[in-house]
Amino acid sequence: MNSEAQKHPTIVDPQTYLAGCTCGNQHPTPQVTLYSAMDASKVLAEDCQAIYRNRSVLLLSDPETDAVAGAKVRQELEQAQVSLEHYFLPSNPVATDHLVEKIQTVSRDKALIISVGSGTVNDLGKYAADQNGIDFWSMPTAPSMNGYTSGIAAIKVKGVKRTLPAVPPQRIYVFPGVVQQAPLKLRQAGFCDVLAKVVSDIDWQCESLLFSDSYCGLPASMMTAVEKTYSDYPEEIGRGDESAVMGLFNGLLLSGIAMSLAGSSAPASGGEHLVSHFWDMREPITGREPELHGLQVGVGIILSTACYRRLAQLNKADLPQQAERVFSATTARIPEIWGPNADEVAKQFQNKRAALLKFDTLLPQHWEELQELFRQVQPPEHFVELFTRTGAPFSLEAFRLTQDEFMLAALNSRAIRERITVLDLAAHAGVLEAAAEDALQLLR
Ligand SMILES: [Zn+2]
Ligand SMILES: [Zn+2]
């Protein structure tokens, strides 16, 4: 191993990561490297100077992330005589197509974009760099979501939230102290987002069994290997204990890589993510500013696990034959829920009509195998307890969600994406409403 590889190891060891593959197909080799230490800004600046010489670089930060890390990085870059431009975002920036365009324009003549921040600052930098075909580095400031290493960016296009493909960063630099001391709510959000994979992996296995045969055990095996370093320590994560928070952060980085290895977001984004996208997309209609991605996903986990429990109790003989009726009923509600965006949503839902109609025959055919998968999922109480143990409240009220808005998302968010999830299974089996009521009891 050369000294560069020693100093900047790839997050996933290229020698061993393929051991968990069960599909036999080719997987890409994850290239993203990590440098995590107190002198991260100094090393970043030296690397930047060594690689890009006199070509100029754009740094993105907002007031909060600049205060904890951005200013220090800028200072080091200037000291290393890197030609630097700073794009200073407002507090709580929103990743819109409009803002991406501005950043693309400013970075057109640059060699590299460096994002200093969490979700939005990274999505903006990653997507603008991808669009301009230039390099992208990231300095995460919070363990709040798994998107740092993923090959997608969440951008609002014409008011509709989209997850768009974008090349992951080549390099990640981290001040461990900054990540460790990120606000509690951000740590709780990351804790929810990383645990989502426990349920989304089962969603993927169900879908694969019924339709695509695309499942691979590689992402799950990568996560299982590290899961105990965060899932057993909610209180410690809440208190900001170093090894627990860095365990969580590492889990989030791996979870983003697991997504890119699978070539889709399926291993870390199932029905639990749909309700979060639903609330993001409803903002123009409800006026409710979305809560942190991970926290909304946490609410989705409670719903998904409640669905799995109801499904596990169902006998094959009780499965209704009602695919057509269920599809029509959900379609009929799209206009009132989505107003001006109804056509776009209806198109997405229509894309999975053919698959949903096969449920009448496929579900009874595979019910025993499906039940084995359903039974692997922990009950919703388990997750509510874990999330609450971080020390931050975990309820609809804390996330400014009304019971009506929760029920609306629970029953209708399956229409916004064509991917088959547990929400489709539960709707077809006639247990979605009861499961949503179960979840509601736990979130009051
Ligand atoms: Zn595989
Ligand atoms: Zn997520």
Side-chain angles (χ1 to χ4, degrees):
M1 199 186 275
N2 62 30
S3 66
E4 163 72 14
Q6 261 165 14
K7 193 169 187 184
H8 298 297
T10 49
I11 293 171
V12 174
D13 174 15
Q15 305 301 319
T16 57
Y17 82 95
L18 281 176
C21 172
T22 57
C23 74
N25 295 327
Q26 281 281 331
H27 292 279
T29 309
Q31 305 286 358
V32 53
T33 65
L34 173 68
Y35 183 87
S36 173
M38 271 165 60
D39 64 351
S41 56
K42 187 163 180 289
V43 173
L44 182 155
E46 285 166 4
D47 292 344
C48 195
Q49 169 57 241
I51 296 169
Y52 301 104
R53 301 284 167 193
N54 52 4
R55 298 168 67 198
S56 58
V57 164
L58 184 79
L59 184 140
L60 286 182
S61 63
D62 67 29
E64 286 69 35
T65 65
D66 208 63
V68 296
K72 183 106 181 69
V73 177
R74 288 190 286 115
Q75 192 191 5
E76 296 278 5
L77 285 167
E78 273 155 25
Q79 238 162 51
Q81 296 183 338
V82 170
S83 160
L84 176 69
E85 191 171 330
H86 182 205
Y87 194 104
F88 206 22
L89 296 158
S91 276
N92 303 315
V94 179
T96 60
D97 44 357
H98 185 66
L99 188 49
V100 166
E101 261 170 50
K102 282 195 198 167
I103 296 166
Q104 258 180 264
T105 306
V106 188
S107 60
R108 200 147 280 154
D109 59 338
K110 307 288 188 286
L112 167 73
I113 295 179
I114 304 170
S115 281
V116 180
S118 59
T120 305
V121 182
N122 265 275
D123 280 346
L124 285 166
K126 194 198 292 180
Y127 192 66
D130 184 272
Q131 290 295 299
N132 280 348
I134 60 177
D135 288 353
F136 174 61
W137 293 2
S138 162
M139 177 175 268
T141 53
S144 53
M145 48 107 222
N146 70 5
Y148 294 117
T149 47
S150 75
I152 48 174
I155 308 287
K156 246 188 187 175
V157 181
K158 296 192 186 96
V160 179
K161 188 110 167 185
R162 289 264 171 77
T163 43
L164 302 169
V167 178
Q170 287 82 41
R171 290 161 178 261
I172 293 179
Y173 295 84
V174 176
F175 288 128
V178 169
V179 167
Q180 190 191 336
Q181 285 154 33
L184 171 58
K185 220 175 153 174
L186 291 169
R187 283 179 263 138
Q188 187 192 34
F191 190 52
C192 296
D193 204 28
V194 80
L195 286 171
K197 89 131 248 288
V198 182
V199 279
S200 58
D201 195 74
I202 303 288
D203 275 32
W204 186 18
Q205 291 193 58
C206 293
E207 188 280 331
S208 179
L209 174 68
L210 294 171
F211 298 104
S212 67
D213 196 22
S214 65
Y215 183 75
C216 174
L218 173 58
S221 80
M222 272 171 60
M223 299 310 294
T224 308
V226 296
E227 199 175 295
K228 288 263 170 262
T229 62
Y230 48 84
S231 63
D232 285 354
Y233 302 102
E235 286 87 0
E236 288 80 357
I237 288 168
R239 283 200 301 266
D241 172 85
E242 182 176 352
S243 71
V245 178
M246 293 319 279
L248 166 63
F249 182 64
N250 184 46
L252 289 164
L253 294 181
L254 279 177
S255 155
I257 290 176
M259 262 200 268
S260 54
L261 280 178
S264 103
S265 61
S269 175
E272 79 294 332
H273 271 72
L274 287 184
V275 293
S276 178
H277 297 317
F278 182 97
W279 291 317
D280 291 347
M281 282 169 56
R282 285 268 294 171
E283 183 183 1
I285 297 162
T286 60
R288 169 186 170 272
E289 201 182 304
E291 186 45 89
L292 289 169
H293 166 81
L295 296 176
Q296 293 187 160
V297 167
V299 173
I301 293 174
I302 308 311
L303 173 65
S304 284
T305 49
C307 287
Y308 277 121
R309 182 166 58 192
R310 289 269 173 185
L311 285 165
Q313 290 160 356
L314 218 58
N315 295 320
K316 182 153 83 177
D318 301 332
L319 283 173
Q321 299 276 312
Q322 56 174 359
E324 186 76 63
R325 197 188 64 74
V326 172
F327 182 82
S328 307
T330 305
T331 305
R333 298 215 54 195
I334 292 175
E336 53 169 310
I337 296 171
W338 293 108
N341 296 328
D343 286 352
E344 186 57 39
V345 172
K347 218 183 338 174
Q348 286 288 328
F349 195 44
Q350 186 67 31
N351 284 344
K352 66 175 168 184
R353 178 171 185 270
L356 291 173
L357 293 191
K358 291 187 186 141
F359 274 16
D360 281 336
T361 47
L362 282 179
L363 293 197
Q365 245 171 47
H366 293 283
W367 197 244
E368 283 83 13
E369 297 153 275
L370 287 168
Q371 287 230 306
E372 267 175 47
L373 293 170
F374 302 159
R375 292 197 184 108
Q376 290 176 27
V377 180
Q378 302 260 32
E381 287 82 3
H382 168 80
F383 289 97
V384 170
E385 195 211 323
L386 269 184
F387 301 156
T388 308
R389 279 167 58 194
T390 59
F394 189 84
S395 65
L396 295 184
E397 196 192 350
F399 308 145
R400 294 166 285 104
L401 281 167
T402 62
Q403 296 190 14
D404 286 350
E405 189 65 15
F406 171 80
M407 288 304 284
L408 201 66
L411 302 183
N412 297 284
S413 60
R414 68 194 193 89
I416 66 176
R417 289 281 195 286
E418 54 186 294
R419 174 175 299 155
I420 299 286
T421 74
V422 66
L423 302 178
D424 296 306
L425 298 177
H428 179 89
V431 299
L432 183 55
E433 196 151 353
E437 293 285 351
D438 296 343
L440 196 58
Q441 295 301 324
L442 295 167
L443 293 164
R444 274 200 241 267

